[in-house]
Amino acid sequence: MPAFEQLFGIPEEQIQPTCVLTPFLPPGMTEALNIDSLHRGSPFAAGQAPHFTLIHTQIGAPFVGDAVLHLSDSPCRNLILLGACGAVEDDDLSIGSVVLAESALNLESFSALLTKEPHPDQTSHASLDIIAALEPLKNQLPKVSCASLGSFYLEETYAEFLKESKIDVLEMQASAFYQSARHILRRAVGIFYVTDILHQRQAFDPLTPAQQAAVAAAQQRIYRLLNNYAGRLP
């Protein structure tokens, strides 16, 4: 079996021009995206929606970044990262909000977070072509600045720095995703839904029934967006 198929579960030539990468698979996701089955590779899995290939990457920047790099010789032109995030403040965002990550600050290194001051200029960006293609959805997809933070424990420690750096949301993979997409010359954008809020609800706190409903509704909104717009990307 070719190396690519061992990794992703499907042959390289079957990759579609748009790929949606997700670190985790919420219940009902594949059905909502009209995906009949996921083909298991190691460590990734892939399935075919009508207008894109879905790739389950596993959780963490190394898995997401490596998945992108392995697509360098594939037919993929556009990359969308789909995942959850935490809001830094609740002024404009609430649990269940859906956002487009216009930029991602690199705070991935756990060791660096413990041993040195971060630099707010280590930022990567979404592709302007995809942002322009999604412009009709600007009211549904507010643009935010993101930080990819390599520790849940240290989020509170960096709260003031994040606010001073005008960071709106936190997650763990977007910086690696944007940097690896840039490295292989592919267009990329991250679309996230909010599941927690700094100082209010941490990532592993249980969701209330109302919060669960808000997150489930946000996921369905994104699935509809992907079904309707992924085929229109340049």
PDB file of all heavy atoms in Angstrom, residues 10-16 18-19 30 33-39 46-55:
ATOM      1  N   ILE A  10      -6.995   6.722   2.105  1.00  0.00           N
ATOM      2  CA  ILE A  10      -7.427   6.820   0.704  1.00  0.00           C
ATOM      3  C   ILE A  10      -6.221   7.165  -0.160  1.00  0.00           C
ATOM      4  O   ILE A  10      -5.251   7.756   0.325  1.00  0.00           O
ATOM      5  CB  ILE A  10      -8.539   7.879   0.501  1.00  0.00           C
ATOM      6  CG1 ILE A  10      -8.040   9.275   0.860  1.00  0.00           C
ATOM      7  CG2 ILE A  10      -9.784   7.509   1.295  1.00  0.00           C
ATOM      8  CD1 ILE A  10      -9.042  10.386   0.538  1.00  0.00           C
ATOM      9  N   PRO A  11      -6.263   6.832  -1.443  1.00  0.00           N
ATOM     10  CA  PRO A  11      -5.156   7.193  -2.340  1.00  0.00           C
ATOM     11  C   PRO A  11      -5.032   8.705  -2.488  1.00  0.00           C
ATOM     12  O   PRO A  11      -6.021   9.444  -2.411  1.00  0.00           O
ATOM     13  CB  PRO A  11      -5.549   6.546  -3.676  1.00  0.00           C
ATOM     14  CG  PRO A  11      -6.530   5.489  -3.316  1.00  0.00           C
ATOM     15  CD  PRO A  11      -7.271   6.000  -2.115  1.00  0.00           C
ATOM     16  N   GLU A  12      -3.827   9.163  -2.709  1.00  0.00           N
ATOM     17  CA  GLU A  12      -3.551  10.595  -2.828  1.00  0.00           C
ATOM     18  C   GLU A  12      -4.361  11.258  -3.932  1.00  0.00           C
ATOM     19  O   GLU A  12      -4.845  12.382  -3.782  1.00  0.00           O
ATOM     20  CB  GLU A  12      -2.052  10.792  -3.077  1.00  0.00           C
ATOM     21  CG  GLU A  12      -1.584  12.233  -3.049  1.00  0.00           C
ATOM     22  CD  GLU A  12      -0.074  12.315  -3.128  1.00  0.00           C
ATOM     23  OE1 GLU A  12       0.517  11.594  -3.982  1.00  0.00           O
ATOM     24  OE2 GLU A  12       0.524  13.063  -2.345  1.00  0.00           O
ATOM     25  N   GLU A  13      -4.551  10.542  -5.047  1.00  0.00           N
ATOM     26  CA  GLU A  13      -5.248  11.142  -6.194  1.00  0.00           C
ATOM     27  C   GLU A  13      -6.734  11.348  -5.924  1.00  0.00           C
ATOM     28  O   GLU A  13      -7.415  12.068  -6.673  1.00  0.00           O
ATOM     29  CB  GLU A  13      -5.047  10.299  -7.452  1.00  0.00           C
ATOM     30  CG  GLU A  13      -5.557   8.874  -7.382  1.00  0.00           C
ATOM     31  CD  GLU A  13      -4.520   7.880  -6.868  1.00  0.00           C
ATOM     32  OE1 GLU A  13      -3.523   8.337  -6.255  1.00  0.00           O
ATOM     33  OE2 GLU A  13      -4.726   6.671  -7.083  1.00  0.00           O
ATOM     34  N   GLN A  14      -7.270  10.747  -4.866  1.00  0.00           N
ATOM     35  CA  GLN A  14      -8.678  10.929  -4.541  1.00  0.00           C
ATOM     36  C   GLN A  14      -8.949  12.158  -3.670  1.00  0.00           C
ATOM     37  O   GLN A  14     -10.104  12.505  -3.413  1.00  0.00           O
ATOM     38  CB  GLN A  14      -9.217   9.680  -3.839  1.00  0.00           C
ATOM     39  CG  GLN A  14      -9.313   8.468  -4.743  1.00  0.00           C
ATOM     40  CD  GLN A  14      -9.914   7.264  -4.050  1.00  0.00           C
ATOM     41  OE1 GLN A  14     -10.470   7.356  -2.950  1.00  0.00           O
ATOM     42  NE2 GLN A  14      -9.799   6.100  -4.690  1.00  0.00           N
ATOM     43  N   ILE A  15      -7.890  12.822  -3.238  1.00  0.00           N
ATOM     44  CA  ILE A  15      -8.066  14.051  -2.458  1.00  0.00           C
ATOM     45  C   ILE A  15      -8.701  15.121  -3.341  1.00  0.00           C
ATOM     46  O   ILE A  15      -8.263  15.367  -4.464  1.00  0.00           O
ATOM     47  CB  ILE A  15      -6.706  14.540  -1.921  1.00  0.00           C
ATOM     48  CG1 ILE A  15      -6.145  13.542  -0.903  1.00  0.00           C
ATOM     49  CG2 ILE A  15      -6.829  15.927  -1.303  1.00  0.00           C
ATOM     50  CD1 ILE A  15      -6.898  13.450   0.391  1.00  0.00           C
ATOM     51  N   GLN A  16      -9.737  15.788  -2.832  1.00  0.00           N
ATOM     52  CA  GLN A  16     -10.434  16.809  -3.600  1.00  0.00           C
ATOM     53  C   GLN A  16      -9.725  18.164  -3.485  1.00  0.00           C
ATOM     54  O   GLN A  16      -8.875  18.364  -2.604  1.00  0.00           O
ATOM     55  CB  GLN A  16     -11.874  16.930  -3.114  1.00  0.00           C
ATOM     56  CG  GLN A  16     -12.692  15.661  -3.323  1.00  0.00           C
ATOM     57  CD  GLN A  16     -14.164  15.890  -3.042  1.00  0.00           C
ATOM     58  OE1 GLN A  16     -14.810  16.754  -3.645  1.00  0.00           O
ATOM     59  NE2 GLN A  16     -14.718  15.100  -2.119  1.00  0.00           N
ATOM     60  N   THR A  18     -10.665  20.927  -2.286  1.00  0.00           N
ATOM     61  CA  THR A  18     -10.837  21.510  -0.956  1.00  0.00           C
ATOM     62  C   THR A  18     -10.821  20.405   0.088  1.00  0.00           C
ATOM     63  O   THR A  18     -11.493  19.385  -0.070  1.00  0.00           O
ATOM     64  CB  THR A  18     -12.150  22.302  -0.861  1.00  0.00           C
ATOM     65  OG1 THR A  18     -12.078  23.442  -1.732  1.00  0.00           O
ATOM     66  CG2 THR A  18     -12.410  22.779   0.569  1.00  0.00           C
ATOM     67  N   CYS A  19     -10.038  20.609   1.151  1.00  0.00           N
ATOM     68  CA  CYS A  19      -9.965  19.658   2.256  1.00  0.00           C
ATOM     69  C   CYS A  19     -10.369  20.366   3.547  1.00  0.00           C
ATOM     70  O   CYS A  19      -9.908  21.476   3.822  1.00  0.00           O
ATOM     71  CB  CYS A  19      -8.548  19.109   2.411  1.00  0.00           C
ATOM     72  SG  CYS A  19      -8.041  17.971   1.107  1.00  0.00           S
ATOM     73  N   THR A  30     -20.304  13.355  10.310  1.00  0.00           N
ATOM     74  CA  THR A  30     -20.174  12.783   8.970  1.00  0.00           C
ATOM     75  C   THR A  30     -21.529  12.707   8.273  1.00  0.00           C
ATOM     76  O   THR A  30     -21.624  12.963   7.072  1.00  0.00           O
ATOM     77  CB  THR A  30     -19.520  11.392   9.032  1.00  0.00           C
ATOM     78  OG1 THR A  30     -20.248  10.557   9.944  1.00  0.00           O
ATOM     79  CG2 THR A  30     -18.070  11.497   9.488  1.00  0.00           C
ATOM     80  N   LEU A  33     -22.522  16.060   6.920  1.00  0.00           N
ATOM     81  CA  LEU A  33     -21.710  16.456   5.769  1.00  0.00           C
ATOM     82  C   LEU A  33     -21.886  15.507   4.583  1.00  0.00           C
ATOM     83  O   LEU A  33     -21.160  15.604   3.598  1.00  0.00           O
ATOM     84  CB  LEU A  33     -20.237  16.520   6.172  1.00  0.00           C
ATOM     85  CG  LEU A  33     -19.892  17.595   7.217  1.00  0.00           C
ATOM     86  CD1 LEU A  33     -18.428  17.497   7.612  1.00  0.00           C
ATOM     87  CD2 LEU A  33     -20.212  18.997   6.700  1.00  0.00           C
ATOM     88  N   ASN A  34     -22.849  14.596   4.681  1.00  0.00           N
ATOM     89  CA  ASN A  34     -23.150  13.656   3.593  1.00  0.00           C
ATOM     90  C   ASN A  34     -21.955  12.774   3.233  1.00  0.00           C
ATOM     91  O   ASN A  34     -21.685  12.521   2.053  1.00  0.00           O
ATOM     92  CB  ASN A  34     -23.640  14.425   2.357  1.00  0.00           C
ATOM     93  CG  ASN A  34     -24.889  15.234   2.635  1.00  0.00           C
ATOM     94  OD1 ASN A  34     -25.902  14.698   3.073  1.00  0.00           O
ATOM     95  ND2 ASN A  34     -24.812  16.542   2.408  1.00  0.00           N
ATOM     96  N   ILE A  35     -21.255  12.335   4.266  1.00  0.00           N
ATOM     97  CA  ILE A  35     -20.111  11.435   4.093  1.00  0.00           C
ATOM     98  C   ILE A  35     -20.544  10.018   4.436  1.00  0.00           C
ATOM     99  O   ILE A  35     -20.987   9.761   5.556  1.00  0.00           O
ATOM    100  CB  ILE A  35     -18.933  11.882   4.979  1.00  0.00           C
ATOM    101  CG1 ILE A  35     -18.438  13.260   4.527  1.00  0.00           C
ATOM    102  CG2 ILE A  35     -17.797  10.861   4.947  1.00  0.00           C
ATOM    103  CD1 ILE A  35     -17.428  13.887   5.456  1.00  0.00           C
ATOM    104  N   ASP A  36     -20.442   9.116   3.483  1.00  0.00           N
ATOM    105  CA  ASP A  36     -20.902   7.742   3.693  1.00  0.00           C
ATOM    106  C   ASP A  36     -20.031   6.979   4.679  1.00  0.00           C
ATOM    107  O   ASP A  36     -20.538   6.221   5.514  1.00  0.00           O
ATOM    108  CB  ASP A  36     -20.945   6.987   2.355  1.00  0.00           C
ATOM    109  CG  ASP A  36     -22.020   7.531   1.423  1.00  0.00           C
ATOM    110  OD1 ASP A  36     -23.023   8.073   1.940  1.00  0.00           O
ATOM    111  OD2 ASP A  36     -21.843   7.416   0.196  1.00  0.00           O
ATOM    112  N   SER A  37     -18.716   7.156   4.581  1.00  0.00           N
ATOM    113  CA  SER A  37     -17.824   6.404   5.461  1.00  0.00           C
ATOM    114  C   SER A  37     -16.480   7.099   5.560  1.00  0.00           C
ATOM    115  O   SER A  37     -16.075   7.836   4.647  1.00  0.00           O
ATOM    116  CB  SER A  37     -17.629   4.971   4.944  1.00  0.00           C
ATOM    117  OG  SER A  37     -17.032   4.983   3.659  1.00  0.00           O
ATOM    118  N   LEU A  38     -15.811   6.878   6.677  1.00  0.00           N
ATOM    119  CA  LEU A  38     -14.440   7.340   6.869  1.00  0.00           C
ATOM    120  C   LEU A  38     -13.494   6.173   6.642  1.00  0.00           C
ATOM    121  O   LEU A  38     -13.724   5.073   7.145  1.00  0.00           O
ATOM    122  CB  LEU A  38     -14.241   7.883   8.282  1.00  0.00           C
ATOM    123  CG  LEU A  38     -14.677   9.316   8.584  1.00  0.00           C
ATOM    124  CD1 LEU A  38     -14.366   9.641  10.043  1.00  0.00           C
ATOM    125  CD2 LEU A  38     -13.999  10.315   7.670  1.00  0.00           C
ATOM    126  N   HIS A  39     -12.446   6.420   5.888  1.00  0.00           N
ATOM    127  CA  HIS A  39     -11.445   5.404   5.612  1.00  0.00           C
ATOM    128  C   HIS A  39     -10.279   5.628   6.570  1.00  0.00           C
ATOM    129  O   HIS A  39      -9.653   6.686   6.563  1.00  0.00           O
ATOM    130  CB  HIS A  39     -10.990   5.498   4.152  1.00  0.00           C
ATOM    131  CG  HIS A  39     -12.131   5.369   3.182  1.00  0.00           C
ATOM    132  ND1 HIS A  39     -12.606   4.154   2.749  1.00  0.00           N
ATOM    133  CD2 HIS A  39     -12.904   6.321   2.589  1.00  0.00           C
ATOM    134  CE1 HIS A  39     -13.611   4.347   1.921  1.00  0.00           C
ATOM    135  NE2 HIS A  39     -13.821   5.650   1.810  1.00  0.00           N
ATOM    136  N   ALA A  46      -9.944   9.702   6.400  1.00  0.00           N
ATOM    137  CA  ALA A  46     -10.483  10.600   5.375  1.00  0.00           C
ATOM    138  C   ALA A  46     -11.813  10.071   4.854  1.00  0.00           C
ATOM    139  O   ALA A  46     -12.033   8.862   4.775  1.00  0.00           O
ATOM    140  CB  ALA A  46      -9.494  10.759   4.226  1.00  0.00           C
ATOM    141  N   GLY A  47     -12.700  11.003   4.502  1.00  0.00           N
ATOM    142  CA  GLY A  47     -13.984  10.668   3.909  1.00  0.00           C
ATOM    143  C   GLY A  47     -14.353  11.698   2.866  1.00  0.00           C
ATOM    144  O   GLY A  47     -13.878  12.848   2.908  1.00  0.00           O
ATOM    145  N   GLN A  48     -15.220  11.317   1.935  1.00  0.00           N
ATOM    146  CA  GLN A  48     -15.550  12.190   0.816  1.00  0.00           C
ATOM    147  C   GLN A  48     -16.955  12.777   0.972  1.00  0.00           C
ATOM    148  O   GLN A  48     -17.943  12.048   0.998  1.00  0.00           O
ATOM    149  CB  GLN A  48     -15.458  11.406  -0.505  1.00  0.00           C
ATOM    150  CG  GLN A  48     -14.105  10.782  -0.780  1.00  0.00           C
ATOM    151  CD  GLN A  48     -13.003  11.805  -1.053  1.00  0.00           C
ATOM    152  OE1 GLN A  48     -13.165  13.000  -0.864  1.00  0.00           O
ATOM    153  NE2 GLN A  48     -11.860  11.318  -1.522  1.00  0.00           N
ATOM    154  N   ALA A  49     -17.029  14.095   1.091  1.00  0.00           N
ATOM    155  CA  ALA A  49     -18.285  14.827   0.991  1.00  0.00           C
ATOM    156  C   ALA A  49     -18.470  15.221  -0.475  1.00  0.00           C
ATOM    157  O   ALA A  49     -17.540  15.104  -1.287  1.00  0.00           O
ATOM    158  CB  ALA A  49     -18.240  16.065   1.887  1.00  0.00           C
ATOM    159  N   PRO A  50     -19.656  15.703  -0.846  1.00  0.00           N
ATOM    160  CA  PRO A  50     -19.863  16.055  -2.259  1.00  0.00           C
ATOM    161  C   PRO A  50     -18.878  17.082  -2.803  1.00  0.00           C
ATOM    162  O   PRO A  50     -18.497  17.007  -3.978  1.00  0.00           O
ATOM    163  CB  PRO A  50     -21.291  16.604  -2.254  1.00  0.00           C
ATOM    164  CG  PRO A  50     -21.963  15.882  -1.134  1.00  0.00           C
ATOM    165  CD  PRO A  50     -20.912  15.745  -0.085  1.00  0.00           C
ATOM    166  N   HIS A  51     -18.425  18.042  -1.965  1.00  0.00           N
ATOM    167  CA  HIS A  51     -17.588  19.130  -2.470  1.00  0.00           C
ATOM    168  C   HIS A  51     -16.228  19.244  -1.792  1.00  0.00           C
ATOM    169  O   HIS A  51     -15.495  20.197  -2.058  1.00  0.00           O
ATOM    170  CB  HIS A  51     -18.332  20.465  -2.318  1.00  0.00           C
ATOM    171  CG  HIS A  51     -19.645  20.501  -3.026  1.00  0.00           C
ATOM    172  ND1 HIS A  51     -19.760  20.404  -4.399  1.00  0.00           N
ATOM    173  CD2 HIS A  51     -20.902  20.616  -2.546  1.00  0.00           C
ATOM    174  CE1 HIS A  51     -21.027  20.463  -4.739  1.00  0.00           C
ATOM    175  NE2 HIS A  51     -21.745  20.585  -3.639  1.00  0.00           N
ATOM    176  N   PHE A  52     -15.883  18.299  -0.933  1.00  0.00           N
ATOM    177  CA  PHE A  52     -14.583  18.374  -0.266  1.00  0.00           C
ATOM    178  C   PHE A  52     -14.236  17.023   0.355  1.00  0.00           C
ATOM    179  O   PHE A  52     -15.088  16.137   0.495  1.00  0.00           O
ATOM    180  CB  PHE A  52     -14.578  19.458   0.823  1.00  0.00           C
ATOM    181  CG  PHE A  52     -15.639  19.284   1.877  1.00  0.00           C
ATOM    182  CD1 PHE A  52     -15.420  18.505   3.007  1.00  0.00           C
ATOM    183  CD2 PHE A  52     -16.867  19.918   1.742  1.00  0.00           C
ATOM    184  CE1 PHE A  52     -16.398  18.342   3.971  1.00  0.00           C
ATOM    185  CE2 PHE A  52     -17.865  19.764   2.709  1.00  0.00           C
ATOM    186  CZ  PHE A  52     -17.627  18.979   3.824  1.00  0.00           C
ATOM    187  N   THR A  53     -12.976  16.890   0.709  1.00  0.00           N
ATOM    188  CA  THR A  53     -12.500  15.731   1.470  1.00  0.00           C
ATOM    189  C   THR A  53     -12.372  16.130   2.932  1.00  0.00           C
ATOM    190  O   THR A  53     -11.756  17.147   3.253  1.00  0.00           O
ATOM    191  CB  THR A  53     -11.127  15.262   0.951  1.00  0.00           C
ATOM    192  OG1 THR A  53     -11.242  14.864  -0.416  1.00  0.00           O
ATOM    193  CG2 THR A  53     -10.610  14.082   1.763  1.00  0.00           C
ATOM    194  N   LEU A  54     -12.977  15.351   3.810  1.00  0.00           N
ATOM    195  CA  LEU A  54     -12.847  15.563   5.250  1.00  0.00           C
ATOM    196  C   LEU A  54     -11.690  14.721   5.763  1.00  0.00           C
ATOM    197  O   LEU A  54     -11.594  13.529   5.465  1.00  0.00           O
ATOM    198  CB  LEU A  54     -14.133  15.164   5.973  1.00  0.00           C
ATOM    199  CG  LEU A  54     -14.099  15.302   7.499  1.00  0.00           C
ATOM    200  CD1 LEU A  54     -14.142  16.765   7.900  1.00  0.00           C
ATOM    201  CD2 LEU A  54     -15.243  14.525   8.141  1.00  0.00           C
ATOM    202  N   ILE A  55     -10.816  15.345   6.541  1.00  0.00           N
ATOM    203  CA  ILE A  55      -9.671  14.636   7.118  1.00  0.00           C
ATOM    204  C   ILE A  55      -9.698  14.786   8.630  1.00  0.00           C
ATOM    205  O   ILE A  55      -9.688  15.904   9.157  1.00  0.00           O
ATOM    206  CB  ILE A  55      -8.336  15.175   6.557  1.00  0.00           C
ATOM    207  CG1 ILE A  55      -8.259  14.906   5.049  1.00  0.00           C
ATOM    208  CG2 ILE A  55      -7.148  14.540   7.281  1.00  0.00           C
ATOM    209  CD1 ILE A  55      -7.066  15.539   4.363  1.00  0.00           C
TER     210      ILE A  55
END
